[in-house]
Amino acid sequence: MEVIFVGKEWRFKKALKEELFRYISFDAIKYIDSFDIDFRPNSDTLIVTNQKTYPLVTRIIARLANQNIVVKNDILVPEKSKFSKNSFLVELGGKNVNVILLEKEVPEIFIITPSFERINVFKMDKDTALMFLEPILNAHKLDYTVYENEGGFVEIVTEPLSDTIKKEIISTIPYVVFGNLFEHIVKTLPPKKITFAESCTGGLIASHLTKISGSSNCFDGSVVTYANRIKHEWLGVENSTLEKYGAVSEQTVKEMLLGAIEISKADFAIAVSGIAGPTGGTPTKPVGTVYIGVADRKNLQVELLHLKGDRNYIQYQAMMNAIRLFINFAGLYETN
């Protein structure tokens, strides 16, 4: 499969490209600044677009496929294409062409790629995790790729694992979660409940959790407290705390956690407050300054992060770090 990135920006969006590469297998990569009517696929092709390039690419692909353009899932797609949110598939010249709009997360990819397994390792750096896992993976002749996830944990993408291999891994490293972290939370947290108090992430954590079927078993609701007034009125953050330390502070996040636990009656809370940019930074609290916290009814923990990237990427990193903090705090790892 060939992957074509359309738009000048893709040469610099390393994190999003790495996220995509975890889901696909490819033979060639091409970067083009613009897309034209002379396009002819030489093989099955994945075309990666952004908000600027998606409309033109879609119109050209529809014209080449002799299809009209329609609006489905609030986005333009060729009328006879196979589609889901931010992704569609058509056939051109006997080849499959899958166009995706890649923003914060990877949409469904229709071109068949090899199945894979994700091993998330906590409380270890990459070298330490590999020291324990390489003998197992090599003994079973598994291909694998190792990443340092944006959330501060190690992620290993490998071929599908049997239950026997998974048990072997768990017995070797006790701080492991297989697959999607949000699915793992939904599967293992009930009957306990979790809630969120989000500021700079704007509901991103709740959105990701509620994409998972069955999330209502561990999630009743949460709050997005963007303004200081709402932090005070909804969560009970003291005005004196906001005035003395600011909204982006350890003290504010602690009070957000306590307020979220109180109003939701949940067993756990995650709180996030930070400066996602591109404006709002100061010399003492530059863009990318984010406090994340987690609490239960007896204990709480807060971390300070200094994140880099554009607004969306800072929000994504804040979310993943918050999930990492929660899994470690709650000890929510795989068990035999």
Side-chain angles (χ1 to χ4, degrees), residues 76-182:
L76 295 173
V77 298
E79 62 178 342
K80 298 178 182 178
S81 63
K82 183 178 181 180
F83 70 93
S84 63
K85 183 178 180 181
N86 293 343
S87 178
F88 69 81
L89 178 74
V90 298
E91 184 177 312
L92 291 178
K95 308 298 183 183
N96 289 317
V97 176
N98 192 170
V99 177
I100 64 171
L101 172 58
L102 182 58
E103 294 179 290
K104 297 179 182 179
E105 58 187 43
V106 178
E108 181 177 2
I109 297 174
F110 292 111
I111 294 179
I112 300 300
T113 57
S115 300
F116 66 92
E117 185 87 46
R118 184 179 291 120
I119 310 170
N120 305 288
V121 183
F122 298 84
K123 294 188 175 184
M124 291 184 180
D125 61 27
K126 183 169 69 173
D127 291 340
T128 305
L130 281 177
M131 181 179 69
F132 286 101
L133 284 179
E134 272 188 330
I136 299 173
L137 299 174
N138 291 338
H140 293 282
K141 299 180 180 180
L142 297 169
D143 291 328
Y144 58 91
T145 305
V146 184
Y147 301 91
E148 291 181 337
N149 187 279
E150 297 91 337
F153 54 92
V154 178
E155 184 177 344
I156 300 171
V157 178
T158 184
E159 300 171 62
L161 304 173
S162 67
D163 289 341
T164 300
I165 298 175
K166 287 183 178 180
K167 289 179 180 179
E168 190 174 347
I169 291 172
I170 293 169
S171 65
T172 303
I173 300 180
Y175 311 118
V176 170
V177 172
F178 297 110
N180 182 293
L181 297 183
F182 291 93

Side-chain angles (χ1 to χ4, degrees), residues 25-242:
S25 176
F26 54 89
D27 302 309
I29 298 177
K30 183 187 296 184
Y31 294 90
I32 59 176
D33 294 341
S34 60
F35 196 76
D36 60 50
I37 197 68
D38 294 327
F39 169 73
R40 297 293 184 275
N42 297 315
S43 61
D44 287 350
T45 303
L46 178 67
I47 301 176
V48 185
T49 69
N50 53 34
Q51 289 283 1
K52 293 179 182 178
T53 60
Y54 179 86
L56 177 62
V57 170
T58 301
R59 292 182 186 281
I60 290 175
I61 293 296
R63 182 175 175 183
L64 292 172
N66 295 315
Q67 296 185 29
N68 294 321
I69 291 285
V70 296
V71 177
K72 295 181 179 179
N73 286 352
D74 298 321
I75 196 166
L76 295 173
V77 298
E79 62 178 342
K80 298 178 182 178
S81 63
K82 183 178 181 180
F83 70 93
S84 63
K85 183 178 180 181
N86 293 343
S87 178
F88 69 81
L89 178 74
V90 298
E91 184 177 312
L92 291 178
K95 308 298 183 183
N96 289 317
V97 176
N98 192 170
V99 177
I100 64 171
L101 172 58
L102 182 58
E103 294 179 290
K104 297 179 182 179
E105 58 187 43
V106 178
E108 181 177 2
I109 297 174
F110 292 111
I111 294 179
I112 300 300
T113 57
S115 300
F116 66 92
E117 185 87 46
R118 184 179 291 120
I119 310 170
N120 305 288
V121 183
F122 298 84
K123 294 188 175 184
M124 291 184 180
D125 61 27
K126 183 169 69 173
D127 291 340
T128 305
L130 281 177
M131 181 179 69
F132 286 101
L133 284 179
E134 272 188 330
I136 299 173
L137 299 174
N138 291 338
H140 293 282
K141 299 180 180 180
L142 297 169
D143 291 328
Y144 58 91
T145 305
V146 184
Y147 301 91
E148 291 181 337
N149 187 279
E150 297 91 337
F153 54 92
V154 178
E155 184 177 344
I156 300 171
V157 178
T158 184
E159 300 171 62
L161 304 173
S162 67
D163 289 341
T164 300
I165 298 175
K166 287 183 178 180
K167 289 179 180 179
E168 190 174 347
I169 291 172
I170 293 169
S171 65
T172 303
I173 300 180
Y175 311 118
V176 170
V177 172
F178 297 110
N180 182 293
L181 297 183
F182 291 93
E183 290 181 356
H184 177 72
I185 291 170
V186 169
K187 179 180 71 175
T188 58
L189 187 58
K192 293 184 177 180
K193 299 287 183 78
I194 191 169
T195 191
F196 312 116
E198 300 186 61
S199 185
C200 67
T201 46
L204 189 64
I205 307 176
S207 173
H208 272 70
L209 186 74
T210 54
K211 288 178 182 177
I212 308 303
S213 177
S215 55
S216 59
N217 293 325
C218 66
F219 178 73
D220 290 336
S222 64
V223 292
V224 177
T225 55
Y226 212 62
N228 284 358
R229 178 179 65 84
I230 299 300
K231 288 181 177 69
H232 171 66
E233 294 181 2
W234 290 8
L235 293 177
V237 178
E238 296 289 345
N239 284 324
S240 58
T241 301
L242 294 165

